[in-house]
mmCIF file with all atom_site columns, all heavy atoms in Angstrom:
data_model
loop_
_atom_site.group_PDB
_atom_site.id
_atom_site.type_symbol
_atom_site.label_atom_id
_atom_site.label_alt_id
_atom_site.label_comp_id
_atom_site.label_asym_id
_atom_site.label_entity_id
_atom_site.label_seq_id
_atom_site.pdbx_PDB_ins_code
_atom_site.Cartn_x
_atom_site.Cartn_y
_atom_site.Cartn_z
_atom_site.occupancy
_atom_site.B_iso_or_equiv
_atom_site.pdbx_formal_charge
_atom_site.auth_seq_id
_atom_site.auth_comp_id
_atom_site.auth_asym_id
_atom_site.auth_atom_id
_atom_site.pdbx_PDB_model_num
ATOM 1   N N   . ILE A 1 11  ? 100.865 119.033 86.990 1.00 0.00 ? 11  ILE A N   1
ATOM 2   C CA  . ILE A 1 11  ? 99.416  118.950 86.962 1.00 0.00 ? 11  ILE A CA  1
ATOM 3   C C   . ILE A 1 11  ? 98.884  119.431 85.670 1.00 0.00 ? 11  ILE A C   1
ATOM 4   O O   . ILE A 1 11  ? 97.864  118.874 85.148 1.00 0.00 ? 11  ILE A O   1
ATOM 5   C CB  . ILE A 1 11  ? 98.804  119.821 88.097 1.00 0.00 ? 11  ILE A CB  1
ATOM 6   C CG1 . ILE A 1 11  ? 97.307  119.593 88.176 1.00 0.00 ? 11  ILE A CG1 1
ATOM 7   C CG2 . ILE A 1 11  ? 99.139  121.242 87.936 1.00 0.00 ? 11  ILE A CG2 1
ATOM 8   C CD1 . ILE A 1 11  ? 96.608  120.133 89.451 1.00 0.00 ? 11  ILE A CD1 1
ATOM 9   N N   . ALA A 1 49  ? 89.443  118.906 82.618 1.00 0.00 ? 49  ALA A N   1
ATOM 10  C CA  . ALA A 1 49  ? 88.388  119.784 83.262 1.00 0.00 ? 49  ALA A CA  1
ATOM 11  C C   . ALA A 1 49  ? 88.844  120.122 84.654 1.00 0.00 ? 49  ALA A C   1
ATOM 12  O O   . ALA A 1 49  ? 89.355  119.272 85.387 1.00 0.00 ? 49  ALA A O   1
ATOM 13  C CB  . ALA A 1 49  ? 87.001  119.105 83.312 1.00 0.00 ? 49  ALA A CB  1
ATOM 14  N N   . VAL A 1 51  ? 88.467  122.967 88.279 1.00 0.00 ? 51  VAL A N   1
ATOM 15  C CA  . VAL A 1 51  ? 87.805  124.031 89.000 1.00 0.00 ? 51  VAL A CA  1
ATOM 16  C C   . VAL A 1 51  ? 88.784  124.462 90.132 1.00 0.00 ? 51  VAL A C   1
ATOM 17  O O   . VAL A 1 51  ? 89.407  123.546 90.737 1.00 0.00 ? 51  VAL A O   1
ATOM 18  C CB  . VAL A 1 51  ? 86.435  123.670 89.575 1.00 0.00 ? 51  VAL A CB  1
ATOM 19  C CG1 . VAL A 1 51  ? 86.586  122.576 90.621 1.00 0.00 ? 51  VAL A CG1 1
ATOM 20  C CG2 . VAL A 1 51  ? 85.701  124.846 90.195 1.00 0.00 ? 51  VAL A CG2 1
ATOM 21  N N   . THR A 1 313 ? 101.936 108.752 94.340 1.00 0.00 ? 313 THR A N   1
ATOM 22  C CA  . THR A 1 313 ? 100.709 109.550 94.070 1.00 0.00 ? 313 THR A CA  1
ATOM 23  C C   . THR A 1 313 ? 100.723 110.925 94.748 1.00 0.00 ? 313 THR A C   1
ATOM 24  O O   . THR A 1 313 ? 99.794  111.616 94.603 1.00 0.00 ? 313 THR A O   1
ATOM 25  C CB  . THR A 1 313 ? 99.455  108.730 94.400 1.00 0.00 ? 313 THR A CB  1
ATOM 26  O OG1 . THR A 1 313 ? 99.519  108.495 95.817 1.00 0.00 ? 313 THR A OG1 1
ATOM 27  C CG2 . THR A 1 313 ? 99.441  107.472 93.599 1.00 0.00 ? 313 THR A CG2 1
ATOM 28  N N   . ARG A 1 315 ? 102.854 114.489 95.810 1.00 0.00 ? 315 ARG A N   1
ATOM 29  C CA  . ARG A 1 315 ? 104.116 115.327 95.630 1.00 0.00 ? 315 ARG A CA  1
ATOM 30  C C   . ARG A 1 315 ? 103.865 116.718 96.037 1.00 0.00 ? 315 ARG A C   1
ATOM 31  O O   . ARG A 1 315 ? 102.696 117.202 96.126 1.00 0.00 ? 315 ARG A O   1
ATOM 32  C CB  . ARG A 1 315 ? 104.498 115.208 94.120 1.00 0.00 ? 315 ARG A CB  1
ATOM 33  C CG  . ARG A 1 315 ? 103.600 115.869 93.206 1.00 0.00 ? 315 ARG A CG  1
ATOM 34  C CD  . ARG A 1 315 ? 104.008 115.808 91.726 1.00 0.00 ? 315 ARG A CD  1
ATOM 35  N NE  . ARG A 1 315 ? 103.196 116.527 90.843 1.00 0.00 ? 315 ARG A NE  1
ATOM 36  C CZ  . ARG A 1 315 ? 102.147 115.947 90.162 1.00 0.00 ? 315 ARG A CZ  1
ATOM 37  N NH1 . ARG A 1 315 ? 101.874 114.715 90.443 1.00 0.00 ? 315 ARG A NH1 1
ATOM 38  N NH2 . ARG A 1 315 ? 101.390 116.631 89.312 1.00 0.00 ? 315 ARG A NH2 1
ATOM 39  N N   . MET A 1 347 ? 99.971  117.874 96.254 1.00 0.00 ? 347 MET A N   1
ATOM 40  C CA  . MET A 1 347 ? 99.054  117.376 95.272 1.00 0.00 ? 347 MET A CA  1
ATOM 41  C C   . MET A 1 347 ? 98.964  115.873 95.378 1.00 0.00 ? 347 MET A C   1
ATOM 42  O O   . MET A 1 347 ? 99.927  115.226 95.586 1.00 0.00 ? 347 MET A O   1
ATOM 43  C CB  . MET A 1 347 ? 99.433  117.806 93.851 1.00 0.00 ? 347 MET A CB  1
ATOM 44  C CG  . MET A 1 347 ? 99.614  119.250 93.608 1.00 0.00 ? 347 MET A CG  1
ATOM 45  S SD  . MET A 1 347 ? 100.019 119.511 91.776 1.00 0.00 ? 347 MET A SD  1
ATOM 46  C CE  . MET A 1 347 ? 100.827 121.091 91.928 1.00 0.00 ? 347 MET A CE  1
ATOM 47  N N   . HIS A 1 348 ? 97.695  115.390 95.186 1.00 0.00 ? 348 HIS A N   1
ATOM 48  C CA  . HIS A 1 348 ? 97.466  113.951 95.188 1.00 0.00 ? 348 HIS A CA  1
ATOM 49  C C   . HIS A 1 348 ? 96.868  113.613 93.828 1.00 0.00 ? 348 HIS A C   1
ATOM 50  O O   . HIS A 1 348 ? 95.899  114.182 93.354 1.00 0.00 ? 348 HIS A O   1
ATOM 51  C CB  . HIS A 1 348 ? 96.515  113.557 96.290 1.00 0.00 ? 348 HIS A CB  1
ATOM 52  C CG  . HIS A 1 348 ? 96.162  112.040 96.232 1.00 0.00 ? 348 HIS A CG  1
ATOM 53  N ND1 . HIS A 1 348 ? 97.017  111.105 96.464 1.00 0.00 ? 348 HIS A ND1 1
ATOM 54  C CD2 . HIS A 1 348 ? 94.981  111.468 95.958 1.00 0.00 ? 348 HIS A CD2 1
ATOM 55  C CE1 . HIS A 1 348 ? 96.400  109.927 96.397 1.00 0.00 ? 348 HIS A CE1 1
ATOM 56  N NE2 . HIS A 1 348 ? 95.151  110.131 96.004 1.00 0.00 ? 348 HIS A NE2 1
ATOM 57  N N   . PHE A 1 349 ? 97.498  112.566 93.152 1.00 0.00 ? 349 PHE A N   1
ATOM 58  C CA  . PHE A 1 349 ? 97.081  112.145 91.838 1.00 0.00 ? 349 PHE A CA  1
ATOM 59  C C   . PHE A 1 349 ? 96.602  110.646 91.911 1.00 0.00 ? 349 PHE A C   1
ATOM 60  O O   . PHE A 1 349 ? 97.362  109.806 92.338 1.00 0.00 ? 349 PHE A O   1
ATOM 61  C CB  . PHE A 1 349 ? 98.211  112.284 90.827 1.00 0.00 ? 349 PHE A CB  1
ATOM 62  C CG  . PHE A 1 349 ? 97.882  111.641 89.501 1.00 0.00 ? 349 PHE A CG  1
ATOM 63  C CD1 . PHE A 1 349 ? 96.981  112.222 88.661 1.00 0.00 ? 349 PHE A CD1 1
ATOM 64  C CD2 . PHE A 1 349 ? 98.605  110.482 89.125 1.00 0.00 ? 349 PHE A CD2 1
ATOM 65  C CE1 . PHE A 1 349 ? 96.684  111.632 87.368 1.00 0.00 ? 349 PHE A CE1 1
ATOM 66  C CE2 . PHE A 1 349 ? 98.283  109.882 87.865 1.00 0.00 ? 349 PHE A CE2 1
ATOM 67  C CZ  . PHE A 1 349 ? 97.330  110.524 87.019 1.00 0.00 ? 349 PHE A CZ  1
ATOM 68  N N   . ALA A 1 350 ? 95.353  110.473 91.477 1.00 0.00 ? 350 ALA A N   1
ATOM 69  C CA  . ALA A 1 350 ? 94.827  109.151 91.397 1.00 0.00 ? 350 ALA A CA  1
ATOM 70  C C   . ALA A 1 350 ? 94.038  109.133 90.020 1.00 0.00 ? 350 ALA A C   1
ATOM 71  O O   . ALA A 1 350 ? 92.846  109.553 90.023 1.00 0.00 ? 350 ALA A O   1
ATOM 72  C CB  . ALA A 1 350 ? 93.908  108.784 92.564 1.00 0.00 ? 350 ALA A CB  1
ATOM 73  N N   . SER A 1 351 ? 94.677  108.659 88.976 1.00 0.00 ? 351 SER A N   1
ATOM 74  C CA  . SER A 1 351 ? 94.204  108.783 87.569 1.00 0.00 ? 351 SER A CA  1
ATOM 75  C C   . SER A 1 351 ? 92.668  108.407 87.536 1.00 0.00 ? 351 SER A C   1
ATOM 76  O O   . SER A 1 351 ? 92.294  107.323 88.079 1.00 0.00 ? 351 SER A O   1
ATOM 77  C CB  . SER A 1 351 ? 94.956  107.859 86.701 1.00 0.00 ? 351 SER A CB  1
ATOM 78  O OG  . SER A 1 351 ? 94.489  107.990 85.329 1.00 0.00 ? 351 SER A OG  1
ATOM 79  N N   . PRO A 1 352 ? 91.923  109.259 86.851 1.00 0.00 ? 352 PRO A N   1
ATOM 80  C CA  . PRO A 1 352 ? 92.254  110.492 86.183 1.00 0.00 ? 352 PRO A CA  1
ATOM 81  C C   . PRO A 1 352 ? 92.037  111.764 87.087 1.00 0.00 ? 352 PRO A C   1
ATOM 82  O O   . PRO A 1 352 ? 91.929  112.849 86.524 1.00 0.00 ? 352 PRO A O   1
ATOM 83  C CB  . PRO A 1 352 ? 91.277  110.540 85.019 1.00 0.00 ? 352 PRO A CB  1
ATOM 84  C CG  . PRO A 1 352 ? 89.926  109.996 85.674 1.00 0.00 ? 352 PRO A CG  1
ATOM 85  C CD  . PRO A 1 352 ? 90.486  108.917 86.609 1.00 0.00 ? 352 PRO A CD  1
ATOM 86  N N   . PHE A 1 353 ? 91.981  111.674 88.400 1.00 0.00 ? 353 PHE A N   1
ATOM 87  C CA  . PHE A 1 353 ? 91.625  112.731 89.281 1.00 0.00 ? 353 PHE A CA  1
ATOM 88  C C   . PHE A 1 353 ? 92.909  113.258 89.976 1.00 0.00 ? 353 PHE A C   1
ATOM 89  O O   . PHE A 1 353 ? 93.758  112.507 90.420 1.00 0.00 ? 353 PHE A O   1
ATOM 90  C CB  . PHE A 1 353 ? 90.587  112.271 90.281 1.00 0.00 ? 353 PHE A CB  1
ATOM 91  C CG  . PHE A 1 353 ? 90.170  113.298 91.282 1.00 0.00 ? 353 PHE A CG  1
ATOM 92  C CD1 . PHE A 1 353 ? 89.461  114.365 90.946 1.00 0.00 ? 353 PHE A CD1 1
ATOM 93  C CD2 . PHE A 1 353 ? 90.607  113.170 92.623 1.00 0.00 ? 353 PHE A CD2 1
ATOM 94  C CE1 . PHE A 1 353 ? 89.038  115.336 91.885 1.00 0.00 ? 353 PHE A CE1 1
ATOM 95  C CE2 . PHE A 1 353 ? 90.190  114.098 93.538 1.00 0.00 ? 353 PHE A CE2 1
ATOM 96  C CZ  . PHE A 1 353 ? 89.449  115.202 93.126 1.00 0.00 ? 353 PHE A CZ  1
ATOM 97  N N   . THR A 1 354 ? 92.998  114.605 90.060 1.00 0.00 ? 354 THR A N   1
ATOM 98  C CA  . THR A 1 354 ? 94.018  115.252 90.848 1.00 0.00 ? 354 THR A CA  1
ATOM 99  C C   . THR A 1 354 ? 93.396  116.358 91.768 1.00 0.00 ? 354 THR A C   1
ATOM 100 O O   . THR A 1 354 ? 92.590  117.078 91.331 1.00 0.00 ? 354 THR A O   1
ATOM 101 C CB  . THR A 1 354 ? 95.086  115.938 89.895 1.00 0.00 ? 354 THR A CB  1
ATOM 102 O OG1 . THR A 1 354 ? 95.678  114.964 89.073 1.00 0.00 ? 354 THR A OG1 1
ATOM 103 C CG2 . THR A 1 354 ? 96.240  116.558 90.736 1.00 0.00 ? 354 THR A CG2 1
ATOM 104 N N   . ILE A 1 355 ? 93.873  116.358 92.990 1.00 0.00 ? 355 ILE A N   1
ATOM 105 C CA  . ILE A 1 355 ? 93.513  117.382 93.921 1.00 0.00 ? 355 ILE A CA  1
ATOM 106 C C   . ILE A 1 355 ? 94.702  118.064 94.544 1.00 0.00 ? 355 ILE A C   1
ATOM 107 O O   . ILE A 1 355 ? 95.712  117.264 94.835 1.00 0.00 ? 355 ILE A O   1
ATOM 108 C CB  . ILE A 1 355 ? 92.524  116.895 95.050 1.00 0.00 ? 355 ILE A CB  1
ATOM 109 C CG1 . ILE A 1 355 ? 92.121  117.995 95.949 1.00 0.00 ? 355 ILE A CG1 1
ATOM 110 C CG2 . ILE A 1 355 ? 93.196  115.677 95.788 1.00 0.00 ? 355 ILE A CG2 1
ATOM 111 C CD1 . ILE A 1 355 ? 91.054  117.548 96.969 1.00 0.00 ? 355 ILE A CD1 1
ATOM 112 N N   . GLY A 1 356 ? 94.744  119.344 94.692 1.00 0.00 ? 356 GLY A N   1
ATOM 113 C CA  . GLY A 1 356 ? 95.935  119.986 95.270 1.00 0.00 ? 356 GLY A CA  1
ATOM 114 C C   . GLY A 1 356 ? 95.546  121.181 96.079 1.00 0.00 ? 356 GLY A C   1
ATOM 115 O O   . GLY A 1 356 ? 94.481  121.859 95.833 1.00 0.00 ? 356 GLY A O   1
ATOM 116 N N   . VAL A 1 379 ? 92.778  125.843 96.105 1.00 0.00 ? 379 VAL A N   1
ATOM 117 C CA  . VAL A 1 379 ? 92.524  124.446 96.059 1.00 0.00 ? 379 VAL A CA  1
ATOM 118 C C   . VAL A 1 379 ? 92.018  124.117 94.594 1.00 0.00 ? 379 VAL A C   1
ATOM 119 O O   . VAL A 1 379 ? 91.090  124.868 94.074 1.00 0.00 ? 379 VAL A O   1
ATOM 120 C CB  . VAL A 1 379 ? 91.415  124.021 96.997 1.00 0.00 ? 379 VAL A CB  1
ATOM 121 C CG1 . VAL A 1 379 ? 91.122  122.582 96.951 1.00 0.00 ? 379 VAL A CG1 1
ATOM 122 C CG2 . VAL A 1 379 ? 91.890  124.392 98.414 1.00 0.00 ? 379 VAL A CG2 1
ATOM 123 N N   . ALA A 1 380 ? 92.629  123.115 93.966 1.00 0.00 ? 380 ALA A N   1
ATOM 124 C CA  . ALA A 1 380 ? 92.288  122.798 92.609 1.00 0.00 ? 380 ALA A CA  1
ATOM 125 C C   . ALA A 1 380 ? 91.794  121.337 92.507 1.00 0.00 ? 380 ALA A C   1
ATOM 126 O O   . ALA A 1 380 ? 92.405  120.459 93.235 1.00 0.00 ? 380 ALA A O   1
ATOM 127 C CB  . ALA A 1 380 ? 93.530  122.879 91.711 1.00 0.00 ? 380 ALA A CB  1
ATOM 128 N N   . LEU A 1 381 ? 90.768  121.086 91.749 1.00 0.00 ? 381 LEU A N   1
ATOM 129 C CA  . LEU A 1 381 ? 90.218  119.740 91.457 1.00 0.00 ? 381 LEU A CA  1
ATOM 130 C C   . LEU A 1 381 ? 90.275  119.579 89.959 1.00 0.00 ? 381 LEU A C   1
ATOM 131 O O   . LEU A 1 381 ? 89.679  120.372 89.258 1.00 0.00 ? 381 LEU A O   1
ATOM 132 C CB  . LEU A 1 381 ? 88.808  119.613 92.037 1.00 0.00 ? 381 LEU A CB  1
ATOM 133 C CG  . LEU A 1 381 ? 88.619  119.931 93.512 1.00 0.00 ? 381 LEU A CG  1
ATOM 134 C CD1 . LEU A 1 381 ? 87.114  119.924 93.854 1.00 0.00 ? 381 LEU A CD1 1
ATOM 135 C CD2 . LEU A 1 381 ? 89.328  118.996 94.346 1.00 0.00 ? 381 LEU A CD2 1
ATOM 136 N N   . GLN A 1 382 ? 90.802  118.465 89.526 1.00 0.00 ? 382 GLN A N   1
ATOM 137 C CA  . GLN A 1 382 ? 91.007  118.342 88.040 1.00 0.00 ? 382 GLN A CA  1
ATOM 138 C C   . GLN A 1 382 ? 90.788  116.836 87.587 1.00 0.00 ? 382 GLN A C   1
ATOM 139 O O   . GLN A 1 382 ? 91.238  115.943 88.273 1.00 0.00 ? 382 GLN A O   1
ATOM 140 C CB  . GLN A 1 382 ? 92.480  118.754 87.757 1.00 0.00 ? 382 GLN A CB  1
ATOM 141 C CG  . GLN A 1 382 ? 92.819  118.600 86.227 1.00 0.00 ? 382 GLN A CG  1
ATOM 142 C CD  . GLN A 1 382 ? 94.207  119.194 85.955 1.00 0.00 ? 382 GLN A CD  1
ATOM 143 O OE1 . GLN A 1 382 ? 94.431  120.368 86.276 1.00 0.00 ? 382 GLN A OE1 1
ATOM 144 N NE2 . GLN A 1 382 ? 95.064  118.398 85.330 1.00 0.00 ? 382 GLN A NE2 1
ATOM 145 N N   . TYR A 1 383 ? 90.097  116.796 86.437 1.00 0.00 ? 383 TYR A N   1
ATOM 146 C CA  . TYR A 1 383 ? 89.933  115.448 85.755 1.00 0.00 ? 383 TYR A CA  1
ATOM 147 C C   . TYR A 1 383 ? 90.682  115.513 84.441 1.00 0.00 ? 383 TYR A C   1
ATOM 148 O O   . TYR A 1 383 ? 90.456  116.417 83.618 1.00 0.00 ? 383 TYR A O   1
ATOM 149 C CB  . TYR A 1 383 ? 88.471  115.189 85.446 1.00 0.00 ? 383 TYR A CB  1
ATOM 150 C CG  . TYR A 1 383 ? 87.598  114.868 86.673 1.00 0.00 ? 383 TYR A CG  1
ATOM 151 C CD1 . TYR A 1 383 ? 86.615  115.713 87.091 1.00 0.00 ? 383 TYR A CD1 1
ATOM 152 C CD2 . TYR A 1 383 ? 87.825  113.698 87.354 1.00 0.00 ? 383 TYR A CD2 1
ATOM 153 C CE1 . TYR A 1 383 ? 85.806  115.365 88.218 1.00 0.00 ? 383 TYR A CE1 1
ATOM 154 C CE2 . TYR A 1 383 ? 87.027  113.297 88.459 1.00 0.00 ? 383 TYR A CE2 1
ATOM 155 C CZ  . TYR A 1 383 ? 86.040  114.171 88.875 1.00 0.00 ? 383 TYR A CZ  1
ATOM 156 O OH  . TYR A 1 383 ? 85.218  113.894 89.943 1.00 0.00 ? 383 TYR A OH  1
ATOM 157 N N   . ASP A 1 384 ? 91.607  114.589 84.227 1.00 0.00 ? 384 ASP A N   1
ATOM 158 C CA  . ASP A 1 384 ? 92.335  114.525 82.970 1.00 0.00 ? 384 ASP A CA  1
ATOM 159 C C   . ASP A 1 384 ? 91.672  113.573 81.912 1.00 0.00 ? 384 ASP A C   1
ATOM 160 O O   . ASP A 1 384 ? 91.219  112.526 82.244 1.00 0.00 ? 384 ASP A O   1
ATOM 161 C CB  . ASP A 1 384 ? 93.765  114.039 83.224 1.00 0.00 ? 384 ASP A CB  1
ATOM 162 C CG  . ASP A 1 384 ? 94.582  114.913 84.096 1.00 0.00 ? 384 ASP A CG  1
ATOM 163 O OD1 . ASP A 1 384 ? 94.859  116.012 83.584 1.00 0.00 ? 384 ASP A OD1 1
ATOM 164 O OD2 . ASP A 1 384 ? 94.996  114.576 85.217 1.00 0.00 ? 384 ASP A OD2 1
ATOM 165 N N   . LEU A 1 385 ? 91.697  114.120 80.683 1.00 0.00 ? 385 LEU A N   1
ATOM 166 C CA  . LEU A 1 385 ? 91.118  113.253 79.589 1.00 0.00 ? 385 LEU A CA  1
ATOM 167 C C   . LEU A 1 385 ? 92.082  112.221 79.233 1.00 0.00 ? 385 LEU A C   1
ATOM 168 O O   . LEU A 1 385 ? 91.651  111.061 79.042 1.00 0.00 ? 385 LEU A O   1
ATOM 169 C CB  . LEU A 1 385 ? 90.828  114.248 78.407 1.00 0.00 ? 385 LEU A CB  1
ATOM 170 C CG  . LEU A 1 385 ? 90.209  113.522 77.207 1.00 0.00 ? 385 LEU A CG  1
ATOM 171 C CD1 . LEU A 1 385 ? 88.844  112.898 77.623 1.00 0.00 ? 385 LEU A CD1 1
ATOM 172 C CD2 . LEU A 1 385 ? 89.952  114.549 76.125 1.00 0.00 ? 385 LEU A CD2 1
ATOM 173 N N   . LYS A 1 387 ? 95.978  110.808 80.402 1.00 0.00 ? 387 LYS A N   1
ATOM 174 C CA  . LYS A 1 387 ? 97.046  110.931 81.357 1.00 0.00 ? 387 LYS A CA  1
ATOM 175 C C   . LYS A 1 387 ? 97.792  109.616 81.510 1.00 0.00 ? 387 LYS A C   1
ATOM 176 O O   . LYS A 1 387 ? 97.166  108.571 81.657 1.00 0.00 ? 387 LYS A O   1
ATOM 177 C CB  . LYS A 1 387 ? 96.554  111.302 82.664 1.00 0.00 ? 387 LYS A CB  1
ATOM 178 C CG  . LYS A 1 387 ? 97.661  111.833 83.639 1.00 0.00 ? 387 LYS A CG  1
ATOM 179 C CD  . LYS A 1 387 ? 98.067  113.229 83.242 1.00 0.00 ? 387 LYS A CD  1
ATOM 180 C CE  . LYS A 1 387 ? 98.947  113.843 84.338 1.00 0.00 ? 387 LYS A CE  1
ATOM 181 N NZ  . LYS A 1 387 ? 99.408  115.246 83.976 1.00 0.00 ? 387 LYS A NZ  1
#
Side-chain angles (χ1 to χ4, degrees):
I11 189 170
V51 65
T313 62
R315 65 180 184 271
M347 304 183 202
H348 175 69
F349 171 71
S351 182
F353 178 69
T354 301
I355 182 172
V379 178
L381 307 173
Q382 179 173 307
Y383 289 114
D384 292 296
L385 183 60
K387 196 75 169 183

